[in-house]
Amino acid sequence: MNMDTWSGVAQVILDGFNRHYRLFRQYSREGKECFERADWQRAAQVSRERIQGYERRVQETVKKINEVYPEAAQHSEIWPRIKMVFIGKLMNHLQSECAETFYNSVACRVLHREYYKSEYIFWRPAISTEHLEGSSPTYRSYYPGSDGLRRSLLEILTHFGLVNPFEHLRRDVRCLEQEILQNRSATWKAQPNFQIQVLDTLFFRNKGAHIVGRVINGESVQPFVVPLLQNGQGQVFADTLLIRQKEAAILFSFSRTYFLVDMEVPSAYVSFLLSIMPRKSVVDLYAMLGLQKQAKTLFYRQLQHHLTHSRDNFQVAPGVRGMVMLVFTLPSFQFVFKLIKDRFDPPKTSSRKDVQEKYLLVKHHDRAGRLADTLEYSNVAIPLDRIDPVLMQQLREEAASSIEIDGDMLVISHIYIERRMEPLDNYLAQATTNQRIRAIREYGNAIRDLAGANIFPGDMLKKNFGVTRLGRVVFYDYDEICYITECNFRRVPPARDYDDMMSDTPWYSVEEDDVFPETFGPFFFADAKDMQYFKKDHADLMDPAWWKQVKENILNGSQQDIFPYADKKRFRNRDCRPRMT
């Protein structure tokens, strides 16, 4: 085998990636067209197709290598040379970090179990992305100090070339101006570098288009995020301005992926977003931008780095033991690891395939800010000496088909990894009264938002919901999840006699898809005070009529507005008239 083989395989992989990213950008651009047409169903389909496209391109590339260069699969020793040739082809490539990940995906498929040999794959990035620049600037700068704040805001709103007219452009500019001025401190003073920098493309998700930027003044860097929505006539309006880090972090949370964004240089977008959300992980940001495979690569590198610089062991996760999933954690690492058990505890009757399909449903569906993003891996290797004996025993007893010992490593054939959150039941057990009231309200809001996104959680016990560091309540147990449109919401028929009322079993027939919201009370809260807090805002969640109306709206093509900010922040609920002087 010679240089022609090495170069040929490397070029096939690069061609496969270039095709993938060309289609990725095409889907992202279609997100703009869907927004302009208010075609929300197609927008959801575009998002799903974009996710599925990566795997298809990998399969196409592996097939071509096996057909044209069969020796590449038979002789693993040539892959370090293929890798070196590939690195040479990535010089000045604008998505080099993503191309390296694509190479890893292809190489692992061709080489099967050679995945953990770093000389064959990109264990660390080989090409720096720090100063990559595309054919046009990643962001544009506006100078309110010299051009005026209103003029700058007007230019920002009208730059993106949406075909939709604005509902009331002058009003939107006035609202944005007031929000900026009201958030300035009493000692605020314009510095020589005072400017607003805005990313060159819109971020599309659900029914919104988002202008994403930052306000720079001296050493201060603030988010500048403007959600654009449409009215019933297709006219666009600015809904609010998010100018605090927490507000931006909620919008771009791990429960709200994936945005449709047309990026020539994705690393430049990540760098920009980190400047306004410094506590965010690059893993979250790449996933939020729709590059979930890159997020997986970065996460695995972070895990390996953390293992090198820590000494605690993987152990069984605290909390109520799952009936379907075996969950463990590394206490010093903010994630949980979930395996599907070989056998499910009663009364669970679903299969491994059923559970995998539920997780796939969530991956392809709009998370509405209420479903945790999950990183799915195959053949994950963990050092045996970092596994607690109790956990090892559980793995052998409950998930033996998913594990294999290879030398000094435990190889897990299939695993899900999620951001660790405080289970809602644990949180409530330690919460103050005010924290408790807010969390209970958030719990109900989470169920509402999921319903609006056509998701019925199934098992609504509080242990299946988590509280994020920003105080949001998120659902993370997917084995009973289904579409609202698949459910038949019914009222409980009246009891026929005293025996019916005292019976432990229903006196009425129950089909597989039947749901009885009137019986949700015990799932929600057994404590009378907690139930009182819950009913104050969410009593209708125990009324079949509410659920039927949600289902009917979805079937009629209506899509609920789900905002990642408080209703009181919306400009429509505030007075943006000029102040009297």
Side-chain angles (χ1 to χ4, degrees):
M1 286 171 282
N2 53 34
M3 183 67 179
D4 290 342
T5 298
W6 311 333
S7 181
V9 173
Q11 190 61 50
V12 169
I13 297 174
L14 186 57
D15 289 345
F17 171 76
N18 288 339
R19 171 170 163 73
H20 155 67
Y21 201 76
R22 184 170 63 253
L23 293 171
F24 179 92
R25 294 190 68 185
Q26 183 176 311
Y27 281 126
S28 299
R29 286 191 291 269
E30 191 176 349
K32 180 174 183 284
E33 298 171 5
C34 291
F35 176 80
E36 291 172 334
R37 301 192 307 266
D39 189 349
W40 313 129
Q41 291 185 344
R42 174 57 188 164
Q45 186 179 353
V46 165
S47 184
R48 287 193 298 270
E49 290 177 1
R50 191 181 65 167
I51 293 170
Q52 296 164 351
Y54 184 93
E55 183 60 30
R56 290 170 181 164
R57 302 295 87 78
V58 168
Q59 291 175 0
E60 291 169 2
T61 305
V62 170
K63 180 180 179 182
K64 186 168 183 179
I65 291 174
N66 288 333
E67 290 175 350
V68 181
Y69 302 100
E71 62 272 24
Q74 299 166 6
H75 301 279
S76 61
E77 68 276 4
I78 71 170
W79 279 83
R81 297 183 182 274
I82 295 172
K83 177 182 170 184
M84 292 304 298
V85 174
F86 190 79
I87 291 173
K89 293 178 180 290
L90 290 184
M91 295 301 175
N92 300 318
H93 197 288
L94 299 181
Q95 306 92 32
S96 58
E97 78 280 26
C98 300
E100 290 175 355
T101 290
F102 190 87
Y103 173 99
N104 287 352
S105 297
V106 173
C108 289
R109 299 293 177 84
V110 175
L111 295 173
H112 305 293
R113 288 295 301 276
E114 306 292 348
Y115 60 90
Y116 51 82
K117 294 189 177 180
S118 59
E119 66 268 26
Y120 295 172
I121 64 172
F122 288 93
W123 189 252
R124 290 181 293 273
I127 304 294
S128 172
T129 61
E130 186 175 359
H131 299 294
L132 280 178
E133 292 187 10
S135 57
S136 60
T138 299
Y139 59 86
R140 292 166 287 107
S141 297
Y142 301 85
Y143 298 91
S146 58
D147 299 338
L149 181 55
R150 288 192 183 181
R151 179 179 173 183
S152 296
L153 293 171
L154 177 65
E155 291 178 354
I156 289 170
L157 288 177
T158 57
H159 168 80
F160 296 96
L162 292 169
V163 300
N164 314 69
F166 274 82
E167 180 183 74
H168 196 320
L169 186 57
R170 182 171 295 182
R171 178 203 62 202
D172 290 348
V173 169
R174 190 165 60 240
C175 287
L176 292 172
E177 179 190 39
Q178 285 193 16
E179 188 71 8
I180 290 173
L181 296 178
Q182 289 171 5
N183 277 277
R184 288 177 178 173
S185 67
T187 59
W188 187 92
K189 181 180 179 181
Q191 301 299 315
N193 68 337
F194 175 42
Q195 60 189 290
I196 302 175
Q197 298 175 343
V198 178
L199 287 169
D200 197 47
T201 51
L202 292 166
F203 286 52
F204 296 96
R205 188 186 175 282
N206 204 343
K207 296 166 70 175
H210 300 79
I211 298 171
V212 179
R214 59 193 175 196
V215 180
I216 296 176
N217 190 49
E219 296 183 356
S220 170
V221 179
Q222 284 182 289
F224 177 89
V225 182
V226 183
L228 301 177
L229 302 179
Q230 291 187 37
N231 63 20
Q233 290 73 48
Q235 297 169 319
V236 174
F237 60 91
D239 197 43
T240 190
L241 173 64
L242 308 179
I243 205 167
R244 296 184 177 88
Q245 283 188 14
K246 180 178 179 179
E247 294 170 342
I250 290 174
L251 173 65
F252 297 125
S253 73
F254 63 88
S255 61
R256 202 173 289 277
T257 48
Y258 309 108
F259 285 82
L260 293 165
V261 191
D262 180 21
M263 304 168 290
E264 188 177 20
V265 186
S267 59
Y269 273 67
V270 169
S271 177
F272 188 101
L273 292 166
L274 275 176
S275 73
I276 62 174
M277 297 177 287
R279 294 186 64 184
K280 281 288 184 185
S281 162
V282 291
V283 174
D284 292 338
L285 293 177
Y286 270 101
M288 180 271 295
L289 292 169
L291 297 165
Q292 66 272 21
K293 294 296 182 180
Q294 184 63 20
K296 287 178 60 176
T297 294
L298 293 170
F299 172 83
Y300 198 69
R301 287 172 181 165
Q302 285 186 5
L303 174 60
Q304 298 306 315
H305 178 82
H306 186 85
L307 286 173
T308 302
H309 295 86
S310 63
R311 60 184 183 183
D312 55 334
N313 290 337
F314 291 95
Q315 56 187 247
V316 177
V320 180
R321 189 168 170 175
M323 293 186 284
V324 171
M325 309 294 282
L326 189 157
V327 185
F328 64 92
T329 185
L330 187 67
S332 61
F333 199 53
Q334 291 297 312
F335 292 85
V336 294
F337 303 77
K338 303 169 73 171
L339 287 77
I340 302 175
K341 290 183 177 182
D342 292 339
R343 294 173 300 278
F344 301 159
D345 299 344
K348 300 289 186 179
T349 59
S350 54
S351 66
R352 171 181 288 269
K353 182 181 177 182
D354 293 335
V355 176
Q356 290 175 327
E357 288 177 350
K358 301 295 186 183
Y359 274 81
L360 191 62
L361 182 158
V362 172
K363 180 179 179 180
H364 292 163
H365 198 77
D366 175 19
R367 290 177 180 77
R370 299 298 185 176
L371 294 170
D373 190 25
T374 300
L375 299 175
E376 183 179 1
Y377 289 87
S378 299
N379 296 326
V380 172
I382 297 175
L384 278 169
D385 62 0
R386 298 294 296 274
I387 301 175
D388 183 83
V390 175
L391 170 60
M392 193 69 219
Q393 184 65 24
Q394 276 200 21
L395 289 168
R396 285 177 169 145
E397 291 177 353
E398 300 180 14
S401 67
S402 297
I403 64 173
E404 178 183 346
I405 294 177
D406 186 355
D408 60 353
M409 306 294 284
L410 176 75
V411 180
I412 302 174
S413 62
H414 186 253
I415 194 168
Y416 299 101
I417 301 175
E418 295 173 359
R419 179 78 59 180
R420 188 165 68 219
M421 291 173 277
E422 179 77 9
L424 180 58
D425 54 346
N426 290 357
Y427 179 88
L428 292 174
Q430 306 169 42
T432 65
T433 300
N434 287 337
Q435 289 173 334
R436 192 176 196 85
I437 292 172
R438 284 196 300 270
I440 290 172
R441 185 187 304 118
E442 262 289 285
Y443 171 55
N445 288 338
I447 295 171
R448 287 181 184 278
D449 288 349
L450 289 172
N454 195 18
I455 290 292
F456 183 67
D459 192 343
M460 290 185 284
L461 291 172
K462 294 183 291 297
K463 70 181 181 68
N464 297 326
F465 291 78
V467 182
T468 72
R469 67 178 179 85
L470 298 173
R472 299 272 291 178
V473 172
V474 173
F475 186 65
Y476 52 62
D477 190 333
Y478 304 149
D479 60 274
E480 290 191 15
I481 208 168
C482 67
Y483 294 117
I484 289 284
T485 50
E486 295 175 349
C487 299
N488 179 33
F489 297 100
R490 293 176 53 191
R491 289 197 178 275
V492 175
R496 295 165 298 186
D497 50 36
Y498 178 79
D499 290 338
D500 279 351
M501 289 188 289
M502 300 303 295
S503 175
D504 292 333
T505 58
W507 58 87
Y508 45 88
S509 62
V510 180
E511 301 297 329
E512 184 178 355
D513 298 327
D514 285 347
V515 179
F516 298 90
E518 292 162 292
T519 67
F520 288 172
F523 288 93
F524 291 154
F525 296 100
D527 181 85
K529 191 70 172 177
D530 287 345
M531 180 56 80
Q532 182 181 346
Y533 294 145
F534 185 79
K535 284 184 174 180
K536 181 180 177 182
D537 299 297
H538 304 300
D540 50 357
L541 293 182
M542 291 177 282
D543 184 352
W546 184 88
W547 292 91
K548 287 181 179 180
Q549 186 61 58
V550 170
K551 178 179 177 179
E552 183 179 339
N553 291 343
I554 295 170
L555 290 173
N556 289 336
S558 173
Q559 185 168 334
Q560 180 175 315
D561 291 314
I562 301 172
F563 303 113
Y565 40 85
D567 194 57
K568 64 183 180 181
K569 276 198 66 68
R570 302 187 67 197
F571 291 152
R572 296 204 153 190
N573 297 326
R574 300 164 64 181
D575 185 1
C576 292
R577 291 173 296 183
R579 294 180 178 179
M580 299 298 294
T581 56

